[in-house]
Amino acid sequence: MNPAGRSAFLHPFARPTADRFVTIVRGRGAVVWDDQGNRYVDALASLWYCQVGHGRDEIAEAVGQQLRLLDSFHTFEMFTNEPAEELTATLAAAAPIAGARVFLTNSGSEAVDTAVKLARLTSVLRGEPQRQLVVSRHHAYHGVTIGGTALQGLPANREGFGPLLPGVHHVDHDDPESVAALFAARGGEIAAVIAEPVQAAGGVRPPAPGYLQRLRELCDDHGALLILDEVVTGFGRLGSMWGAHRYAVPADLITFAKGVTSGYQPLGGVLVGSAVRDAIEADPAFVLRHGHTYSGHPAACRAALANLAIIGDEHLAQRALHIGAVLSPALNELLDNGLVTEVRGDGGIWAVELPEPAGAPAVRDRMLGDGVIARPLGPSTIAFCPPLVIGDDDLERCVVALTNALRAELS
Ligand code: PLP
């Protein structure tokens, strides 16, 4: 405790003066327990990442074995390691981008910054240095580095941090014609468009029909790159391995993190397609001056390999469709009963809009008391994105806890 009686831990996305925390000590499948012995359904897969559920011994074993063999060794310049080679080959083989190579980072934010740097670099190497603008969408969440913060379409998250990355332009999140108008005016300056296939932290917003395809067309017509930010939507969340598969939209760069390890180790990265490869591989003397100390960390790569094996062996992408088949009708029943005003989602990611005066933080608190950890997004949205292994009984607990919370808040 510091002199103000506060924990030394300055929490992310929290009030620095907050003094009430839930100490999570243990997890199994879609359930976690706190230090008081309370059981909670983890209705958001922690923070949109725990696809395979908690407490998977096979991942812990793989990480432990690797740490005993080789804790870590960097991959800059001429060094490599077997887990990083194996993971990147595995990801490339299943990528929705033909001939992809894979750049590794520690987080989704770093993956986003990497993709933007690669897109801008590609413009320069192609002899079009004026092409530096990056187009992002309202309601987008792309992480918290200076680059990611600038790209976010959530104004509250951008405030107070001074000048952010220049050359970012925000467009409507589901009207492709606003993007078309920008391309018509400034197409020759646009390096890339970045889009989450389903916007997650910005409210769980699936794409309007044809929106992503239109982005692809506009990028093709004007010589820009399309970056899909699949930090949440990758690794089975939408019923396919990638959102690019789910919505049949080819990308030039795809960012990933979260579900690649289900959180057992921090890891992110970028799938890099031929538009960028052709530019950076053209001159054999060219050096890619970008990378993190822990890019290709062997223990993180082992965690990812073990996690990906589980996702494949247990057909967890199909489980996402089952989650949708259970949650969608149950949440729509709340809509019919006037307890929520909107239901949005796809596959294994859903959200409801609450009617006034119900506030999302208060509803979340009531649900917590009922043994379910859901996530409030802004003042009026509650999100669900459970581990893909969640059982029907725990899915039902989520719906019951939401219903009870809403009845209490609206009575
Ligand atoms: N991109 C998307 C779509 C995200 O949802 C997130 C995090 O939630 C990020 C990027 C940033 O990832 P990280 O928090 O690992 O830096």
Side-chain angles (χ1 to χ4, degrees):
M1 293 287 172
N2 64 22
R6 295 194 176 111
S7 150
F9 184 12
L10 184 57
H11 283 249
F13 278 93
R15 284 182 297 112
T17 54
D19 54 9
R20 187 181 149 244
F21 297 99
V22 181
T23 303
I24 301 295
V25 294
R26 189 163 67 88
R28 269 288 137 186
V31 175
V32 294
W33 286 265
D34 69 14
D35 59 351
Q36 308 299 305
N38 295 311
R39 175 196 200 270
Y40 303 95
V41 179
D42 177 8
L44 205 91
S46 182
L47 209 46
W48 326 88
Y49 61 69
C50 191
Q51 317 297 70
V52 301
H54 301 279
R56 303 297 302 236
D57 291 336
E58 51 275 60
I59 307 182
E61 277 303 314
V63 171
Q65 242 177 47
Q66 180 57 47
L67 288 174
R68 283 189 289 272
L69 182 66
L70 172 68
D71 41 26
S72 188
F73 198 86
H74 77 85
T75 59
F76 279 27
E77 216 191 336
M78 64 187 294
F79 294 100
T80 192
N81 64 64
E82 288 165 359
E85 293 291 342
E86 200 181 322
L87 175 62
T88 50
T90 302
L91 289 169
I97 300 179
R101 293 182 72 185
V102 186
F103 193 92
L104 293 173
T105 68
N106 310 289
S107 68
S109 299
E110 292 170 347
V112 166
D113 268 28
T114 297
V116 168
K117 285 176 81 173
L118 287 174
R120 287 180 162 182
L121 181 65
T122 298
S123 303
V124 171
L125 293 172
R126 280 173 167 175
E128 294 183 288
Q130 80 291 352
R131 203 182 263 287
Q132 293 294 311
L133 201 64
V134 182
V135 180
S136 182
R137 301 154 77 197
H138 297 309
H139 300 294
Y141 186 92
H142 295 299
V144 295
T145 52
I146 291 286
T149 304
L151 292 165
Q152 284 199 33
L154 302 169
N157 289 349
R158 295 200 303 259
E159 280 162 19
F161 298 113
L164 300 172
L165 186 73
V168 172
H169 194 101
H170 287 95
V171 291
D172 193 89
H173 74 290
D174 69 2
D175 174 14
E177 291 325 303
S178 80
V179 195
L182 179 67
F183 268 100
R186 303 183 66 181
E189 294 169 58
I190 298 175
V193 176
I194 184 164
E196 298 156 85
V198 171
Q199 293 186 313
V204 182
R205 298 170 197 278
Y211 181 94
L212 296 172
Q213 284 74 14
R214 185 80 176 109
L215 291 188
R216 178 72 268 176
E217 270 169 31
L218 288 165
C219 287
D220 286 344
D221 292 351
H222 294 268
L225 303 182
L226 180 61
I227 305 169
L228 288 182
D229 184 349
E230 297 234 33
V231 165
V232 170
T233 53
F235 307 103
R237 179 54 60 189
L238 296 174
S240 320
M241 200 57 175
W242 297 97
H245 289 136
R246 163 74 183 91
Y247 299 116
V249 53
D252 299 297
L253 293 153
I254 294 182
T255 54
F256 63 87
K258 297 191 188 270
V260 69
T261 59
S262 288
Y264 283 75
Q265 292 280 280
L267 181 70
V270 185
L271 305 180
V272 179
S274 61
V276 176
R277 282 192 61 176
D278 290 350
I280 63 177
E281 293 173 4
D283 175 0
F286 173 75
V287 176
L288 178 58
R289 293 183 186 279
H290 176 73
H292 305 278
T293 297
Y294 301 127
S295 288
H297 191 289
C301 294
R302 281 280 172 237
L305 284 162
N307 171 65
L308 295 177
I310 295 172
I311 291 176
D313 291 350
E314 298 183 6
H315 309 292
L316 293 185
Q318 272 128 23
R319 280 289 305 171
L321 298 178
H322 177 76
I323 290 169
V326 173
L327 280 186
S328 172
L331 298 177
N332 274 293
E333 205 177 309
L334 300 184
L335 184 67
D336 295 342
N337 295 339
L339 285 172
V340 302
T341 57
E342 199 181 336
V343 177
R344 297 186 294 267
D346 195 9
I349 178 168
W350 291 85
V352 289
E353 259 335 288
L354 312 181
E356 285 186 0
V363 167
R364 182 274 313 275
D365 288 350
R366 283 191 188 274
M367 292 177 72
L368 198 62
D370 229 356
V372 172
I373 305 177
R375 186 156 174 80
L377 304 175
S380 61
T381 309
I382 292 282
F384 297 97
C385 177
L388 298 175
V389 294
I390 191 170
D392 288 1
D393 45 351
D394 281 330
L395 277 176
E396 196 184 324
R397 282 191 177 95
C398 295
V399 177
V400 169
L402 174 66
T403 311
N404 290 344
L406 286 168
R407 290 224 167 94
E409 285 295 307
L410 294 171
S411 64

